[in-house]
Amino acid sequence: MSTYSSMSELLGMAEERKLPLWRAVQLFDCEEQNITEEKSWEMMKNMLEVMEASDRSYDSGQRSLSGLSGGDGGLMEEYVRSGRSIAGGLLESMIAAALRMGECNACMKRVVAAPTAGACGVLPAVLLPCGKAMGSTGEVTVQALYVAAGVGEVIARRASIAGAECGCQAEIGTASAMAAAALTHMAGGTGEQIANAAALAMKGLLGLVCDPVGGLVEVPCVKRNVIGAVNALACAEMSLAGIKSRVPADQVFDAMRDIGERMSPALKETGEAGLAGTEIGKTIAGR
Amino acid sequence: MSIFDILGPVMVGPSSSHTAGAVRIGQITRRLLGGEPERAEILLAGSFALTGEGHGTPRAIVAGLMGMGPDDERIPGSFDIAREHGMDFTFGTTVLRDAHPNSALITAVRGEETVRVGASSPGGGRIRVFELDGLPVSFSGESPTLIVRSDDKPGYVSRVTGVIAAQGINMSKLRVEREARGGRAIMVIECDQRIPYKVKVAITAIEGVRKVTRLNPGEESK
């Protein structure tokens, strides 16, 4: 197989070989890394298991070294249990899961960078609660991780997955596109619908800057994981409903790169401007 | 690039550059020393000095010096573990010219051995060693790498590379740095294949060679 640097190439490769998208991603990587399919599957399954273990390891009493993060996942869970929440269940559990994972990361727990540590909450917050709600098997969820990785790889090749290079759109935006694609697969969507979901998700987060308070992966990173997850669900639903992104995925990713290149360095992980540059942001950074 | 660079690595948070990369810097220093340090002086530079504390960078480096990997859940408690092992460590800050903003300079001591390592963490958990014992170097440890420290003697480069070639190992990169003619020299050899132990033994036996370190990816914690 030759390399792919676009969703259209990846879809073409899958179609040509009459393979589902996830399988094309897997086989290509096996060839590239010279590993067996079994080994690859084992590694991907391990990623899912680590995500589940991290989620379980959450401790609402724990705080990060800076004291800025911790406890919000617990507050969300309590709120859901109180029965006062608005959306009716699934959405709230996704919000809680994203907070839990973002806080686990801030509190130096073990996570799966997806695609980065700062954005590690998006994918599990979508896959775990939605998988449970849909009754997905572990096998389908591992397949969905391949779909997510394939989308992430295309974005990394065409644009970037580093906040320092293209802002938060490259981290939470990419994570959200990966999660939307993965969820579309789990719901039985076609390759076309998967790419479309990724396009919709990235479009909604274009322009997002990386402005962490004190330069730490905490504020606003933890809560942006929530936005990435919720956005992914909305975009998977739209794509499955037959709603099309007028701009195809590859061109959306190119736009992300273009925006990232034009973005001021003060808004790319340097902790100078945006939320980092606010009065309180500077006070926290000075501590 | 592998899909497991996108979905992964499994790591202890919060930052791939300031935490996972910092662990790897500690790990590679331990490897270059040849065992667990008894003492370590760790100097943080640039963004490591500015935001390292909140990212757990100091704990991450000590964890690496103790032989832990970036996914080791004991990283947050590494200071206590190091003290239990009797390792003495101090932290400070420094200013490095022309270095990546995320950099550290570590002096580690074990018995008679001392190693001084300058390394940076440019992102994604990857690292680059840019200084070794006062000499400029450049390697990441992502491919099998041999680091040979020796006296600068005529013909020793070909004797070292001869050992490697005899094992059927292909070299992809070779760089030699020395202090002065006849002084200390460091040879960094990156290879396409895993470097077996017997290569280390054979090179160590060459006259003038003082220390050989082999870095095989995936065997960092050994």
Side-chain angles (χ1 to χ4, degrees), chain A residues 18-58:
Chain A
K18 306 221 180 323
L19 294 169
L21 189 67
W22 74 267
R23 187 97 173 104
V25 173
Q26 184 199 29
L27 290 182
F28 181 78
D29 193 65
C30 286
E31 210 167 283
E32 187 81 351
Q33 307 300 321
N34 197 20
I35 54 173
T36 64
E37 289 167 42
E38 292 74 23
K39 170 83 183 155
S40 169
W41 182 267
E42 199 56 43
M43 285 163 71
M44 198 54 99
K45 196 165 146 242
N46 179 54
M47 294 297 165
L48 178 61
E49 285 163 0
V50 175
M51 282 178 184
E52 289 166 338
S54 311
D55 188 54
R56 282 194 302 271
S57 79
Y58 179 71

Side-chain angles (χ1 to χ4, degrees), chain B residues 48-217:
Chain B
F48 265 14
L50 287 176
T51 68
E53 192 63 47
H55 282 124
T57 306
R59 295 164 200 241
I61 291 178
V62 168
L65 289 172
M66 296 304 297
M68 296 178 209
D71 64 341
D72 198 309
E73 285 171 310
R74 298 171 299 165
I75 292 168
S78 69
F79 285 179
D80 289 337
I81 296 170
R83 287 192 193 105
E84 277 163 31
H85 281 238
M87 186 178 111
D88 220 14
F89 55 92
T90 59
F91 281 96
T93 58
T94 188
V95 177
L96 297 171
R97 270 167 207 259
D98 305 324
H100 187 275
N102 307 329
S103 295
L105 199 58
I106 305 175
T107 307
V109 180
R110 173 186 166 87
E112 302 285 290
E113 296 277 338
T114 297
V115 72
R116 193 174 123 110
V117 177
S120 52
S121 170
R126 298 204 163 109
I127 63 159
R128 184 149 290 278
V129 178
F130 60 80
E131 186 192 318
L132 181 56
D133 297 338
L135 292 172
V137 294
S138 178
F139 61 91
S140 67
E142 281 167 34
S143 50
T145 307
L146 260 182
I147 297 109
V148 182
R149 280 163 277 188
S150 61
D151 300 322
D152 175 32
K153 293 207 164 160
Y156 90 100
V157 171
S158 73
R159 294 179 69 186
V160 170
T161 55
V163 170
I164 298 166
Q167 289 297 324
I169 295 170
N170 194 39
M171 295 185 289
S172 58
K173 208 171 148 193
L174 169 71
R175 184 173 160 178
V176 185
E177 287 288 343
R178 64 174 193 194
E179 247 170 1
R181 190 181 296 180
R184 287 183 312 132
I186 292 177
M187 195 191 300
V188 177
I189 306 157
E190 291 178 36
C191 304
D192 291 335
Q193 292 89 15
R194 184 183 176 279
I195 301 156
Y197 180 64
K198 59 184 169 188
V199 166
K200 175 179 169 162
V201 173
I203 293 175
T204 307
I206 296 172
E207 194 200 337
V209 168
R210 288 188 284 113
K211 194 176 173 71
V212 180
T213 308
R214 61 187 184 121
L215 304 171
N216 285 313

